[in-house]
């Protein structure tokens, strides 16, 4: 089996690194990294270093490159890029696919799966998401600074047994991976969380703790949660009745100084995921006849500050 990890950032670097480390001497599994720039240069020169729970270990993929042609045909492609880069890179990887190639998306947001299904109508596209606190500490170095690293993937209302070999590969590498036949329920639960948090922290540009401590700003965050939840329900996604309380309980347990990835991208004048995390809610709401006034108000400001 040949697995190509696309995007070796906090998500792709950590999970891809664990795969590369576990199967470094395997005759049955090859792990490829599609990366770029100085990060790629360091991986090619010294391997990828993973810092996790006070330990550091080095992972050497079978091949790391920024040129898809070097990988040839692969059996599994795992997308871990930023949402705004998905369509561009996905269009370049069609030559790496054979008739049985599986495609797994682990991107933030819920629109990446929809996009890949349209781009690859003749291939098996698998929906998924992760829960992890991880980042590129420096070129060639990935730091996981949380206890949790979970990976969920699968289908909706469909037999997932054909994916058991991939789940086994993940689990053997020490990855907390779990198959689901109701994956949209899981991806939307995460999307409601990150969409509301990313939108509010980016708009106010303060820590999550400061938002929760301010009565008015907290109300705005709660209203974002409610609006995106209604969009999901209108799309006939199963969403827990108590998801609002569940999200707020989780947020209260995070460090006061917590910020979001999109907020940090805004601060650094980088390209952001505002389209997939904020605009998507507005557009889907319009299609479904739902009003999303809080999202619209915050988006009007965010769109003036974002790069494409």
């Amino acid at each position: 089996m040949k697995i190509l990890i696309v995007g070796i950032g906090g998500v792709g670097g950590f999970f891809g690194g664990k795969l590369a480390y576990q199967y470094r001497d395997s005759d049955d599994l090859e792990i490829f990294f599609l990366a770029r720039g100085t990060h790629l240069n360091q991986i090619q020169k010294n391997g990828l270093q993973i810092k996790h729970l006070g330990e550091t270990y080095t992972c050497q993929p079978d091949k790391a490159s920024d040129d898809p042609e070097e990988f040839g045909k692969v059996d599994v492609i795992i997308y871990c890029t930023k949402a705004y880069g998905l369509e561009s890179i996905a269009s370049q990887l069609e030559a790496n696919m054979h008739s049985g190639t599986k495609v797994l998306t682990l991107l933030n947001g819920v629109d990446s799966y929809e996009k890949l299904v349209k781009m690859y109508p003749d291939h098996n596209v698998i929906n998924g998401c992760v829960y992890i606190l991880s980042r590129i500490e420096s070129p060639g170095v990935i730091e996981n600074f949380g206890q949790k690293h979970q990976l969920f993937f699968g289908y909706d209302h469909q037999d997932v047994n054909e994916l058991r070999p991939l789940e086994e590969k993940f689990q053997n590498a020490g990855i907390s991976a779990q198959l689901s036949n109701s994956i949209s329920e899981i991806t939307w639960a995460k999307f409601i969380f990150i969409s509301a948090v990313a939108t509010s922290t980016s708009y106010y540009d303060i820590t999550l703790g400061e938002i929760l401590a301010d009565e008015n700003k907290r109300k705005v965050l709660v209203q974002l949660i409610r609006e995106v939840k209604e969009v999901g329900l209108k799309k006939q996604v199963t969403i827990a009745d108590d998801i609002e309380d569940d999200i707020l309980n989780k947020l209260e347990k995070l460090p006061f100084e917590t910020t979001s990835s999109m907020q940090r991208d805004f601060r650094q004048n980088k390209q952001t995921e505002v389209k997939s995390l904020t605009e998507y809610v507005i557009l889907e709401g319009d299609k479904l006849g739902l009003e999303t006034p809080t999202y619209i108000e915050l988006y009007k400001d965010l769109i003036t500050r974002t790069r494409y």
Side-chain angles (χ1 to χ4, degrees):
M1 182 185 290
K2 297 180 179 181
I3 299 178
L4 172 60
I5 315 294
V6 182
I8 311 301
V11 173
F14 181 78
F15 291 114
K18 289 184 79 67
L19 287 169
Y21 186 79
Q22 174 65 28
Y23 297 104
R24 58 194 180 277
D25 298 320
S26 173
D27 295 326
D28 301 318
L29 189 67
E30 291 182 274
I31 305 298
F32 302 147
F33 288 175
L34 182 61
R36 62 184 180 181
T38 56
H39 192 47
L40 171 62
N41 294 338
Q42 286 298 315
I43 294 171
Q44 291 174 327
K45 183 178 179 181
N46 301 311
L48 179 69
Q49 291 188 50
I50 304 292
K51 293 185 175 182
H52 178 55
L53 299 179
E55 296 182 353
T56 300
Y57 53 96
T58 301
C59 318
Q60 188 65 59
D62 292 280
K63 185 179 290 292
S65 175
D66 58 3
D67 182 1
E69 289 188 8
E70 293 193 26
F71 304 119
K73 302 292 184 182
V74 299
D75 303 297
V76 181
I77 299 176
I78 304 178
Y79 282 100
C80 306
T81 63
K82 290 285 191 177
Y84 50 75
L86 176 64
E87 290 167 300
S88 174
I89 190 62
S91 65
Q92 300 175 40
L93 297 182
E94 291 188 56
N96 297 98
M97 303 171 72
H98 56 74
S99 60
T101 298
K102 294 178 173 62
V103 179
L104 169 61
T105 173
L106 299 178
L107 275 64
N108 283 332
V110 290
D111 57 343
S112 62
Y113 173 74
E114 299 168 5
K115 291 177 180 178
L116 287 171
V117 167
K118 290 179 181 178
M119 293 186 72
Y120 300 143
D122 298 323
H123 288 276
N124 185 355
V125 180
I126 308 159
N127 203 358
C129 71
V130 300
Y131 285 88
I132 190 172
L133 290 172
S134 190
R135 65 184 177 114
I136 298 177
E137 182 189 76
S138 59
V141 181
I142 300 294
E143 179 187 20
N144 180 352
F145 46 95
Q147 296 285 334
K148 197 174 187 179
H149 57 279
Q150 292 179 298
L151 189 160
F152 298 92
F153 68 113
Y155 305 122
D156 284 320
H157 316 300
Q158 185 178 333
D159 188 357
V160 297
N161 282 326
E162 66 174 84
L163 301 178
R164 294 292 177 194
L166 184 57
E167 179 187 45
E168 183 179 328
K169 295 288 191 300
F170 285 141
Q171 292 175 348
N172 286 344
I175 296 169
S176 179
Q178 182 178 331
L179 275 172
S180 172
N181 62 1
S182 55
I183 191 64
S184 288
E185 184 176 344
I186 298 172
T187 58
W188 264 88
K190 179 186 176 182
F191 180 64
I192 293 169
F193 180 101
I194 64 170
S195 174
V197 170
T199 300
S200 59
T201 53
S202 298
Y203 176 78
Y204 290 116
D205 195 21
I206 57 178
T207 69
L208 181 59
E210 290 174 292
I211 290 176
L212 294 172
D214 184 294
E215 183 178 355
N216 290 328
K217 293 180 177 63
R218 184 187 182 100
K219 286 181 179 178
V220 169
L221 173 60
V222 169
Q223 190 57 34
L224 290 171
I225 295 171
R226 290 173 179 171
E227 289 179 9
V228 65
K229 174 186 175 183
E230 287 304 311
V231 171
L233 289 172
K234 193 72 172 182
K235 289 173 72 69
Q236 300 186 355
V237 177
T238 301
I239 297 173
D241 293 335
D242 63 348
I243 194 168
E244 179 184 322
D245 292 336
D246 181 59
I247 288 175
L248 290 174
N249 287 335
K250 288 178 180 177
L251 294 179
E252 295 283 5
K253 295 176 182 178
L254 293 174
F256 187 88
E257 63 274 12
T258 297
T259 57
S260 70
S261 174
M262 189 165 86
Q263 175 186 5
R264 294 190 293 274
D265 286 341
F266 269 109
R267 283 181 175 179
Q268 297 169 28
N269 196 32
K270 293 182 177 179
Q271 194 168 3
T272 74
E273 293 184 300
V274 69
K275 282 188 169 291
S276 59
L277 296 183
T278 306
E279 185 186 62
Y280 174 83
V281 179
I282 298 169
L283 295 178
E284 290 300 298
D286 285 343
K287 291 177 187 176
L288 299 165
L290 290 175
E291 295 184 357
T292 53
T294 313
Y295 268 91
I296 291 171
E297 180 181 352
L298 273 58
Y299 177 73
K300 285 180 179 177
D301 175 75
L302 292 174
I303 200 62
T304 65
R305 297 193 271 129
T306 194
R307 289 183 59 232
Y308 291 104

